[in-house]
Amino acid sequence: MRLKARVFLGLLEDRNVCTRFPLGIVSVQPFSNLVTLQVESVDRAAEIHFGLLPTLPPEGGLHGFPGLRIVKRFRTAIELRVLGQPTRLRLSGLPYSLWREAEQAMLDNWIDPDAMQLCWRTSRSTWSAAERERFSQWEDDSDPFVQVQHRGAWLGSGLLRRAALLHTVANTFLTDGYRGSAFGLTRLVVRSSHVRDQGPGPHHIAAALLDPVFGLPLRLTRFRGDTDQKYGSDQHFVLTDPAKTALLDLQASVERPPSHLAPELWQSILRRLPSEGFANDFSPGILAGLCGVRAS
């Protein structure tokens, strides 16, 4: 669960390349101890490698996820696992040679292999001392911040398993975010950009997450925005769990694509936008009524 939460946070924060699908993830296949992410491109795969695979710079300060290793290579996928733990992350969607290319692109673009320790290569079957030190800090149950993040890790884990909702039920063309500050609970901020008058809007994401069968144990506690979505105003949803361990801050904006985006990429984004959204009556007005607030 904690690995999945860290992966989702990394996908939100490492947004250096505009992609056809939000977060560069085409589809998600969740299982009990395995989640498979279909990655869109070599560029996105290289970013994910850089965000997750542990490396140690000369000045210290481990980068990446401690103990994470590439444990299997398939014809169209690679599998990663933290040493000694059962949870697996499978990245798919590229042929074998391109996964090697993505790994090399990470080294060429962001890492000097002669100056940094590549823990996932130099310590293939054992933890390095730097990884153990960082992991012990993450697992220090006496630290109040660590306690809060552990209690709320289910939110990031659940969102990773539902990452495809961003583009299957709404007209999302770009997503990023970060872990925000909050008192006594985990707060994830997810910012999404949407195409005006082009398929279902951002309130379908909130509706899907609130679904009693396939959603998450969340309730809407705040909504701001115009309840008539055709005006294309920004919308802001705050969802929390009854136990008050986690808060999801959804900030949705209707906006134009960035000026540097290649026209052919923008056209491919428009072609993949869903024509229909989540099969539910949850309009923004109804969502506003659920949390007892008035849209502004």
Side-chain angles (χ1 to χ4, degrees):
M1 181 177 64
R2 295 171 189 172
L3 172 62
K4 293 172 184 175
R6 177 64 182 83
V7 170
F8 182 73
L9 183 61
L11 290 175
L12 287 177
E13 292 180 334
D14 297 331
R15 297 301 298 122
N16 298 322
V17 180
C18 288
T19 51
R20 185 184 179 202
F21 294 86
L23 305 179
I25 302 300
V26 179
S27 64
V28 181
Q29 289 181 291
F31 302 95
S32 59
N33 64 346
L34 166 70
V35 61
T36 298
L37 307 179
Q38 184 180 348
V39 180
E40 176 183 319
S41 65
V42 173
D43 287 339
R44 192 63 183 118
E47 285 190 316
I48 294 173
H49 277 63
F50 177 66
L52 291 179
L53 292 176
T55 57
L56 182 65
E59 64 275 12
L62 187 79
H63 176 81
F65 198 95
L68 191 68
R69 301 291 186 270
I70 300 174
V71 294
K72 289 183 180 179
R73 296 183 183 270
F74 303 92
R75 292 182 61 184
T76 59
I78 61 171
E79 193 167 283
L80 301 97
R81 181 171 57 85
V82 176
L83 294 173
Q85 297 187 7
T87 303
R88 294 168 292 149
L89 171 68
R90 185 174 295 170
L91 304 177
S92 68
L94 301 174
Y96 181 88
S97 60
L98 291 187
W99 285 112
R100 292 286 189 183
E101 184 178 317
E103 192 173 330
Q104 187 59 47
M106 174 195 67
L107 297 175
D108 294 341
N109 294 333
W110 301 298
I111 293 178
D112 180 359
D114 296 326
M116 300 178 70
Q117 180 184 350
L118 309 181
C119 301
W120 87 94
R121 284 186 175 179
T122 57
S123 304
R124 296 181 185 273
S125 59
T126 60
W127 291 59
S128 67
E131 289 177 295
R132 292 189 180 280
E133 181 181 358
R134 173 58 63 84
F135 193 75
S136 66
Q137 295 172 352
W138 286 6
E139 297 296 313
D140 183 4
D141 289 332
S142 64
D143 187 311
F145 177 79
V146 172
Q147 294 173 7
V148 168
Q149 298 309 314
H150 284 183
R151 287 196 300 267
W154 63 268
L155 177 59
S157 175
L159 289 173
L160 179 70
R161 295 162 68 93
R162 294 161 178 81
L165 285 177
L166 293 168
H167 66 264
T168 55
V169 305
N171 55 7
T172 314
F173 71 86
L174 185 66
T175 306
D176 67 4
Y178 56 94
R179 183 167 59 191
S181 59
F183 182 76
L185 48 76
T186 296
R187 176 174 173 246
L188 286 179
V189 179
V190 177
R191 302 178 298 196
S192 58
S193 300
H194 299 265
V195 184
R196 183 174 181 177
D197 296 329
Q198 184 88 33
H203 73 272
H204 289 282
I205 298 174
L209 292 174
L210 292 170
D211 183 78
V213 178
F214 301 106
L216 291 170
L218 294 167
R219 61 186 179 189
L220 187 68
T221 55
R222 187 180 185 189
F223 168 77
R224 294 185 67 186
D226 200 308
T227 56
D228 189 344
Q229 193 157 270
K230 70 182 181 181
Y231 290 113
S233 65
D234 293 350
Q235 294 176 354
H236 184 195
F237 308 90
V238 176
L239 300 92
T240 57
D241 72 303
K244 297 183 179 181
T245 63
L247 180 152
L248 176 60
D249 193 330
L250 291 175
Q251 303 174 9
S253 300
V254 177
E255 56 191 17
R256 297 181 181 275
S259 59
H260 64 271
L261 193 64
E264 58 271 19
L265 177 54
W266 178 241
Q267 290 303 313
S268 70
I269 290 173
L270 293 179
R271 286 194 295 269
R272 67 99 180 126
L273 291 180
S275 58
E276 297 180 356
F278 190 66
N280 199 303
D281 295 333
F282 281 1
S283 68
I286 293 176
L287 287 172
L290 283 177
C291 61
V293 298
R294 184 176 181 179
S296 57

Coordinates of all heavy atoms in Angstrom, one line a residue, residues 187-222:
R187 N -2.8 14.8 3.1 CA -3.5 15.6 2.1 C -2.8 15.5 0.7 O -1.6 15.8 0.6 CB -3.5 17.1 2.5 CG -4.1 18.0 1.5 CD -4.3 19.4 2.1 NE -4.7 20.4 1.1 CZ -4.0 21.4 0.6 NH1 -2.7 21.6 1.1 NH2 -4.5 22.2 -0.3
L188 N -3.6 15.0 -0.3 CA -3.1 15.0 -1.6 C -3.8 16.0 -2.4 O -5.1 16.1 -2.4 CB -3.3 13.6 -2.2 CG -2.4 12.5 -1.7 CD1 -2.8 11.1 -2.4 CD2 -1.0 12.8 -2.0
V189 N -3.1 16.8 -3.2 CA -3.6 17.8 -4.0 C -3.5 17.4 -5.5 O -2.3 17.1 -5.9 CB -2.9 19.2 -3.9 CG1 -3.5 20.2 -4.8 CG2 -3.1 19.7 -2.4
V190 N -4.6 17.2 -6.2 CA -4.6 16.8 -7.6 C -5.2 17.9 -8.4 O -6.3 18.3 -8.2 CB -5.4 15.5 -7.8 CG1 -5.4 15.1 -9.3 CG2 -4.8 14.4 -7.0
R191 N -4.4 18.4 -9.3 CA -4.8 19.5 -10.2 C -5.0 19.0 -11.6 O -4.1 18.3 -12.2 CB -3.7 20.6 -10.2 CG -3.5 21.2 -8.8 CD -2.4 22.3 -8.8 NE -1.1 21.7 -9.3 CZ 0.0 22.4 -9.1 NH1 0.1 23.5 -8.5 NH2 1.2 21.8 -9.6
S192 N -6.1 19.2 -12.2 CA -6.4 18.7 -13.5 C -6.9 19.8 -14.5 O -7.5 20.8 -14.0 CB -7.5 17.6 -13.5 OG -8.7 18.1 -12.9
S193 N -6.5 19.7 -15.7 CA -6.9 20.6 -16.8 C -7.8 20.0 -17.7 O -7.6 18.8 -18.1 CB -5.6 21.1 -17.5 OG -4.7 21.7 -16.7
H194 N -8.9 20.7 -18.1 CA -10.0 20.1 -18.8 C -10.3 20.9 -20.1 O -10.1 22.1 -20.1 CB -11.2 19.9 -18.0 CG -11.0 19.0 -16.8 ND1 -11.3 17.7 -16.8 CD2 -10.5 19.3 -15.6 CE1 -11.0 17.2 -15.6 NE2 -10.5 18.1 -14.8
V195 N -10.9 20.2 -21.1 CA -11.3 20.8 -22.3 C -12.7 21.3 -22.2 O -13.6 20.5 -21.9 CB -11.1 19.8 -23.5 CG1 -11.4 20.5 -24.8 CG2 -9.7 19.3 -23.5
R196 N -13.0 22.5 -22.6 CA -14.3 23.0 -22.5 C -15.2 22.5 -23.6 O -14.8 22.4 -24.7 CB -14.3 24.5 -22.5 CG -15.7 25.2 -22.3 CD -15.6 26.7 -22.3 NE -16.9 27.3 -22.1 CZ -17.1 28.6 -21.9 NH1 -16.0 29.4 -21.9 NH2 -18.3 29.1 -21.8
D197 N -16.4 22.1 -23.2 CA -17.4 21.6 -24.2 C -16.9 20.5 -25.1 O -17.2 20.4 -26.2 CB -17.9 22.8 -25.1 CG -18.6 23.9 -24.3 OD1 -19.2 23.6 -23.3 OD2 -18.4 25.1 -24.8
Q198 N -16.2 19.6 -24.5 CA -15.6 18.4 -25.2 C -15.8 17.2 -24.4 O -14.9 16.7 -23.7 CB -14.2 18.7 -25.6 CG -13.5 17.6 -26.4 CD -13.7 17.8 -27.9 OE1 -13.8 19.0 -28.3 NE2 -13.9 16.8 -28.7
G199 N -17.0 16.6 -24.3 CA -17.2 15.5 -23.5 C -17.5 15.8 -22.0 O -17.6 16.9 -21.6
P200 N -17.5 14.8 -21.2 CA -17.8 15.0 -19.8 C -16.8 15.7 -19.0 O -15.6 15.6 -19.3 CB -18.0 13.5 -19.2 CG -17.1 12.7 -20.2 CD -17.2 13.4 -21.5
G201 N -17.2 16.5 -18.0 CA -16.3 17.4 -17.3 C -15.8 16.8 -16.0 O -16.0 15.6 -15.7
P202 N -15.1 17.6 -15.2 CA -14.3 17.1 -14.0 C -15.2 16.5 -12.9 O -14.7 15.7 -12.1 CB -13.5 18.3 -13.6 CG -14.2 19.5 -14.1 CD -14.8 19.0 -15.4
H203 N -16.5 17.0 -12.8 CA -17.3 16.5 -11.7 C -17.5 15.0 -11.8 O -17.8 14.3 -10.8 CB -18.6 17.2 -11.7 CG -19.6 16.8 -12.7 ND1 -19.6 17.5 -13.9 CD2 -20.6 15.9 -12.7 CE1 -20.6 16.9 -14.7 NE2 -21.2 16.0 -14.0
H204 N -17.3 14.4 -13.0 CA -17.5 13.0 -13.1 C -16.4 12.2 -12.4 O -16.6 11.1 -11.9 CB -17.5 12.6 -14.6 CG -18.7 13.0 -15.4 ND1 -19.9 12.3 -15.3 CD2 -18.9 14.0 -16.2 CE1 -20.8 12.9 -16.0 NE2 -20.2 13.9 -16.6
I205 N -15.2 12.8 -12.2 CA -14.1 12.2 -11.5 C -14.6 12.1 -10.0 O -14.4 11.0 -9.4 CB -12.8 13.0 -11.6 CG1 -12.3 13.0 -13.0 CG2 -11.8 12.4 -10.7 CD1 -11.1 13.9 -13.2
A206 N -15.1 13.2 -9.4 CA -15.6 13.1 -8.1 C -16.7 12.1 -7.9 O -16.7 11.4 -6.9 CB -16.0 14.5 -7.6
A207 N -17.6 12.1 -8.9 CA -18.7 11.1 -8.8 C -18.2 9.7 -8.8 O -18.7 8.8 -8.0 CB -19.7 11.4 -10.0
A208 N -17.2 9.4 -9.6 CA -16.7 8.0 -9.7 C -16.0 7.6 -8.4 O -16.1 6.5 -7.9 CB -15.7 7.9 -10.9
L209 N -15.3 8.6 -7.8 CA -14.6 8.3 -6.5 C -15.6 8.1 -5.4 O -15.3 7.5 -4.4 CB -13.6 9.4 -6.2 CG -12.4 9.5 -7.1 CD1 -11.6 10.7 -6.8 CD2 -11.5 8.2 -7.0
L210 N -16.8 8.7 -5.5 CA -17.8 8.5 -4.5 C -18.7 7.3 -4.7 O -19.6 7.1 -3.9 CB -18.6 9.8 -4.4 CG -17.9 11.1 -3.9 CD1 -18.8 12.3 -4.1 CD2 -17.5 10.9 -2.4
D211 N -18.5 6.6 -5.8 CA -19.4 5.5 -6.1 C -19.3 4.5 -4.9 O -18.2 4.1 -4.5 CB -18.9 4.8 -7.4 CG -19.8 3.7 -7.8 OD1 -21.0 3.9 -8.3 OD2 -19.5 2.5 -7.5
P212 N -20.4 4.0 -4.4 CA -20.4 3.1 -3.3 C -19.8 1.7 -3.5 O -19.4 1.0 -2.6 CB -21.9 2.9 -2.9 CG -22.6 3.3 -4.2 CD -21.8 4.3 -4.9
V213 N -19.7 1.3 -4.8 CA -19.1 0.0 -5.1 C -17.7 0.1 -5.6 O -16.8 -0.6 -5.1 CB -20.0 -0.7 -6.2 CG1 -19.4 -2.1 -6.6 CG2 -21.4 -0.9 -5.7
F214 N -17.4 1.0 -6.5 CA -16.1 1.0 -7.2 C -15.2 2.2 -6.7 O -14.1 2.3 -7.1 CB -16.2 1.1 -8.7 CG -17.0 -0.1 -9.2 CD1 -18.3 0.1 -9.7 CD2 -16.4 -1.3 -9.3 CE1 -19.0 -1.0 -10.2 CE2 -17.1 -2.4 -9.8 CZ -18.4 -2.3 -10.3
G215 N -15.8 3.1 -5.9 CA -15.1 4.2 -5.4 C -14.2 4.0 -4.2 O -13.9 2.9 -3.9
L216 N -13.9 5.1 -3.5 CA -13.1 5.0 -2.3 C -14.0 5.5 -1.1 O -15.0 6.1 -1.3 CB -11.9 6.0 -2.4 CG -10.8 5.5 -3.4 CD1 -9.8 6.6 -3.6 CD2 -10.1 4.2 -3.0
P217 N -13.6 5.1 0.1 CA -14.4 5.5 1.3 C -14.3 7.0 1.6 O -13.6 7.4 2.6 CB -13.8 4.6 2.4 CG -12.4 4.3 2.0 CD -12.5 4.2 0.5
L218 N -14.8 7.8 0.7 CA -14.7 9.2 0.8 C -16.1 9.9 0.9 O -17.0 9.3 0.4 CB -13.9 9.8 -0.3 CG -12.4 9.4 -0.4 CD1 -11.9 9.8 -1.8 CD2 -11.6 10.1 0.7
R219 N -16.2 11.1 1.4 CA -17.4 11.8 1.3 C -17.0 13.3 0.9 O -15.9 13.8 1.3 CB -18.2 11.8 2.6 CG -17.4 12.4 3.8 CD -18.2 12.2 5.0 NE -17.5 12.8 6.2 CZ -17.8 12.6 7.5 NH1 -18.9 11.8 7.7 NH2 -17.1 13.1 8.4
L220 N -17.9 13.9 0.1 CA -17.6 15.3 -0.3 C -17.9 16.2 0.8 O -19.0 16.3 1.4 CB -18.5 15.6 -1.5 CG -18.2 16.9 -2.2 CD1 -16.9 16.9 -2.9 CD2 -19.3 17.2 -3.2
T221 N -16.9 17.0 1.2 CA -17.1 18.0 2.3 C -17.1 19.4 1.9 O -17.4 20.3 2.6 CB -16.0 17.8 3.4 OG1 -14.7 17.9 2.8 CG2 -16.1 16.4 4.0
R222 N -16.7 19.6 0.6 CA -16.7 21.0 0.1 C -16.7 21.0 -1.4 O -16.1 20.1 -2.1 CB -15.4 21.7 0.6 CG -15.4 23.2 0.2 CD -14.2 23.9 0.7 NE -14.2 25.4 0.5 CZ -13.2 26.2 0.7 NH1 -12.1 25.7 1.1 NH2 -13.3 27.5 0.4

